[in-house]
Amino acid sequence: MDPSRISLRPFNLSDVDDFLLWSSDDRVTRYLRWDTITSREEALAYLEKVAIPQPWRRSICLDDRSIGYISIKPESGDDRCRAHIGYAVAAEYWGQGMATLALKMTVSKVFDEIPDLVRLHALVELENKASQRVLEKVGFVKEGLLRKYGFCKGEIRDMFVYSFLSTDKLL
């Protein structure tokens, strides 16, 4: 895959059909906190009320068509030095380096774009080996296991916490 074909940009309402293609796939949303999108109307409402208003949620695009998302959610107040990162990519692009490239693109600029940010962290379920590999390929450090930490799809689950500091080097 030619990396120049991949870009990150804010979501637009015109992304609704491409967004619906991957957000309606249970395989893609399995580890996400939001439920699988089931209709065009629901996809449009999600883009309008959730994705577009969030200051740092980007569409991962292949030739300017949405194939996934990456999101940075900074903490506030005294905790503004850290932010949570999350991402997903359409199943048809798994194993092709899309998530790794999008994560590298994000990490390379987010510390300059968000004042006071020092630490990014990601929470990954034990079973999600692919996401663990993506984080490790970028240079995130596995810090430990958080037992019964995250609620997702009706269950409280164990999660690994990964971090990347502003002083770390991208791999």
Side-chain angles (χ1 to χ4, degrees), residues 2-9 56 58-62 67 70 72 85 97-113 120 134 138 140 164 170-171:
D2 177 4
S4 68
R5 296 177 59 200
I6 304 297
S7 62
L8 303 176
R9 62 163 172 75
W56 219 107
R58 302 291 185 264
S59 176
I60 301 170
C61 296
L62 174 63
I67 62 163
I70 193 157
I72 306 287
I85 190 165
M98 304 290 188
T100 302
L101 181 57
L103 193 56
K104 283 184 177 183
M105 292 167 70
T106 299
V107 170
S108 71
K109 62 177 142 184
V110 74
F111 289 105
D112 293 328
E113 291 183 12
L120 289 174
V134 166
V138 172
F140 277 72
F164 192 98
L170 281 171
L171 297 181

Side-chain angles (χ1 to χ4, degrees), residues 9-133:
R9 62 163 172 75
F11 278 97
N12 300 306
L13 291 178
S14 60
D15 291 321
V16 65
D17 294 321
D18 292 329
F19 174 73
L20 182 59
L21 283 175
W22 57 265
S23 66
S24 63
D25 186 337
D26 290 333
R27 296 171 298 166
V28 174
T29 62
R30 177 179 178 188
Y31 298 112
L32 301 179
R33 292 195 170 211
W34 42 280
D35 292 327
T36 302
I37 305 291
T38 59
S39 69
R40 190 174 195 276
E41 294 73 28
E42 191 179 351
L44 199 55
Y46 187 89
L47 288 173
E48 191 172 38
K49 295 179 177 145
V50 178
I52 292 172
Q54 193 199 353
W56 219 107
R57 181 176 289 237
R58 302 291 185 264
S59 176
I60 301 170
C61 296
L62 174 63
D63 299 327
D64 204 41
R65 297 194 64 174
S66 182
I67 62 163
Y69 87 97
I70 193 157
S71 175
I72 306 287
K73 293 182 183 172
E75 301 285 337
S76 59
D78 290 341
D79 295 327
R80 68 186 178 278
C81 63
R82 61 182 181 257
H84 179 267
I85 190 165
Y87 51 88
V89 173
E92 68 186 274
Y93 299 105
W94 289 355
Q96 298 181 38
M98 304 290 188
T100 302
L101 181 57
L103 193 56
K104 283 184 177 183
M105 292 167 70
T106 299
V107 170
S108 71
K109 62 177 142 184
V110 74
F111 289 105
D112 293 328
E113 291 183 12
I114 300 178
D116 303 319
L117 185 62
V118 174
R119 172 193 168 90
L120 289 174
H121 61 265
L123 299 173
V124 185
E125 294 180 30
L126 273 62
E127 301 84 15
N128 193 349
K129 305 287 187 206
S131 191
Q132 292 171 41
R133 282 192 305 275

